[in-house]
Amino acid sequence: CLGSGLSWEPRSRAVEQVHLRCTEGSLEWMYPAQALRVVLEPNLASAQQTTVCIKPASDFQGASIYVERSGQLHLVVSEAEGARPRHVSCFSAHTPQRVALFLQASPQRDISRRTASFQYELLSNQVTALFFLAMCRPCDNVELLMAICSSDFVVKGSIRNVSHDSENHMSQVDVSVQKVYRQKNRIFQQEEGSGEWRGPIRTLLQCKVKKGGGDFLFTGNEHFGEAWLGCAPRFKDFMLVYRAARERGANPCEFELN
């Protein structure tokens, strides 16, 4: 969604309202002026509870973001953060079918180019809990078998390097990929020079990921265009679990063994 505060009448006190129907997307408000109310109302009738996550752009300027709860505004993103790194902010939505955000433009004397832009995702609380809480612990066999069926990406590969970003509380695992079984978007790509398939996977710093030898099966989900680590067993251990489940007829989906 793209809009500009220059279309506002200077003396008008009306709050512009925008309705967004998708479960994920982005909004770009150029030359923020006065206020903008953004209503997220996707078709989530089956979800009893929903978590909303917002990631401001690195050049977010000109406004602050609030969430409406019971008629009150609660600050989510403040322009006062200035050039600080932009973190993902998540909060629970009391009414999953309708979440209202309020963008308040900051006072300014000129019409210099400022843009208040951010990405958003709406997740069921079940997905959020698995993503944030179960990320650091090893998956059990049931979770592993479900991960190969439902993850946004499933790749076989080895760890080239692990780097840590203490300021943003994240670690990045650079993966050398042998086989891409599935990926939602083109995070894992073939390098033009070497022809090698590679890709970055993020995880929380608190997980204390270290470089290890051997082949792994990396699974996980994409959030804001980035791959986040889910279950990542050694490939030989995964094969034992999957073959045993298939013999019992307990595998929830078929997986390409060769």
Side-chain angles (χ1 to χ4, degrees), residues 23 49-53 121-125 127-128 131-132 223:
T23 55
Q49 290 181 313
T50 301
T51 295
V52 181
C53 292
E121 287 188 6
L122 281 78
L123 308 171
S124 71
N125 281 359
V127 171
T128 307
F131 173 54
F132 288 104
H223 296 279

Side-chain angles (χ1 to χ4, degrees), residues 5 7 18 52 54 57 77 86 88 92 96 106 118 134 137 147 156 179 185 209 216 220 231:
S7 61
V18 176
V52 181
I54 294 175
V77 177
R86 299 299 178 180
V88 175
S92 296
S106 304
F118 63 89
R137 64 171 177 79
K156 176 186 178 183
K179 185 175 181 60
N185 294 302
V209 174
F216 295 83
C231 300

Side-chain angles (χ1 to χ4, degrees), residues 21 29 37 40 51-52 54 94 98 128 141 164 173 202 204 214 218 231 242:
R21 309 287 183 180
W29 191 22
R37 188 169 186 261
L40 309 177
T51 295
V52 181
I54 294 175
H94 299 297
R98 187 179 177 89
T128 307
N141 291 350
H164 304 289
V173 182
R202 294 178 180 267
L204 298 178
F218 298 97
C231 300
Y242 179 77

